[in-house]
Amino acid sequence: MAKFRAPEPFSGGIFLTYKCTSMCRHCMYACSPKWSEDWIDVKGAEKVLTILSERLRGKYPSRSNTIGVNYGVHFTGGEPFLNFELLLKLTEVAHSLELPSLFVETNCFWCVNDKVVEEKLKRLKSAGLQGILISANPFLVEYVPFERIVRCERIGRKVFGGNVIVYHDLFYSQLKRLGLKGRISFEDYLEFMVKKCRGEIPLALSFNSVLPMGRAPYKLGYLYRRYPAKVFFSESCRRELTREWHVHIDNYFNYITGYCGGISLGDARELDSL
């Protein structure tokens, strides 16, 4: 049997939990409110962050603070703002270890008013956070009012300057053109797209926007052409499993490469032996 070593990470995301306030149809890890919180253990997280700081040393410019979807280290989930104090603590730890380009990913459920958003983001920045990634898509706004996403982006730029990523900007633009207030069902979003932005539908539902894993095949599979399993028998996942440019480490310390939810290469706390 062929064996391979776990790839050296270049960037990564740390799950605080799989629990989320939403059940987005496209979620690659099928996060939801139904998950047990099972927050990542602080001591274990400190060990993982220490390992990452050692592995990433020399791969980034000194004091790098530029963030990117697959650049630097970010805290994610699930929804990390469900446990703000834990997020704050891990930010302090990561900053003390000089981890590069540190940011957090959020669905903005907590962005109920300007004061709350600015206060939390400023506390995180003071702890060492360098930026924020804001989720924006038609699956999320079935659960989170769109104005909370807009608020987070506006105040995020006030706090972090250019270190704000809205993902996905295509969806964000579409939802703004829709003039959305509050929430909208995915079916109503599709109806709007057919009437107003038909030409953008292939891109909006392409591989770059919706990854065919997690909850997506079950909730969105009807939108795509289907093939029998035998079509894929000759395919290999080796390239995805051995890629080094981005990894996820979940709250159970599974070392997950290639966005391959459900496939763990082992315990991230023992990365040297993987």
Side-chain angles (χ1 to χ4, degrees), residues 90-204:
L90 294 182
T91 298
E92 292 170 345
V93 172
H95 179 63
S96 71
L97 293 168
E98 299 183 351
L99 279 159
S101 305
L102 187 65
F103 64 103
V104 66
E105 180 176 356
T106 183
N107 70 15
C108 306
F109 84 95
W110 53 278
C111 300
V112 294
N113 60 56
D114 287 15
K115 181 180 179 181
V116 166
V117 178
E118 189 163 350
E119 177 185 313
K120 288 185 183 297
L121 294 187
K122 283 184 174 179
R123 287 183 67 190
L124 287 167
K125 184 178 182 181
S126 295
L129 199 73
Q130 295 168 312
I132 188 169
L133 186 151
I134 299 166
S135 295
N137 57 71
F139 314 107
L140 176 59
V141 291
E142 291 194 283
Y143 298 93
V144 177
F146 185 55
E147 52 266 33
R148 297 189 187 183
I149 297 170
V150 174
R151 177 180 292 119
C152 192
E153 190 238 352
R154 172 172 53 82
I155 298 176
R157 295 196 184 282
K158 178 180 178 181
V159 175
F160 295 112
N163 272 354
V164 174
I165 300 171
V166 178
Y167 192 81
H168 199 288
D169 53 358
L170 171 64
F171 289 135
Y172 193 49
S173 171
Q174 291 170 351
L175 294 170
K176 280 192 167 183
R177 277 179 276 158
L178 179 58
L180 179 61
K181 301 292 183 183
R183 304 176 181 88
I184 187 174
S185 71
F186 180 65
E187 288 74 20
D188 286 345
Y189 158 80
L190 280 182
E191 183 178 345
F192 165 78
M193 291 294 293
V194 169
K195 291 179 179 178
K196 303 292 185 179
C197 311
R198 181 182 290 269
E200 294 180 13
I201 293 177
L203 180 59

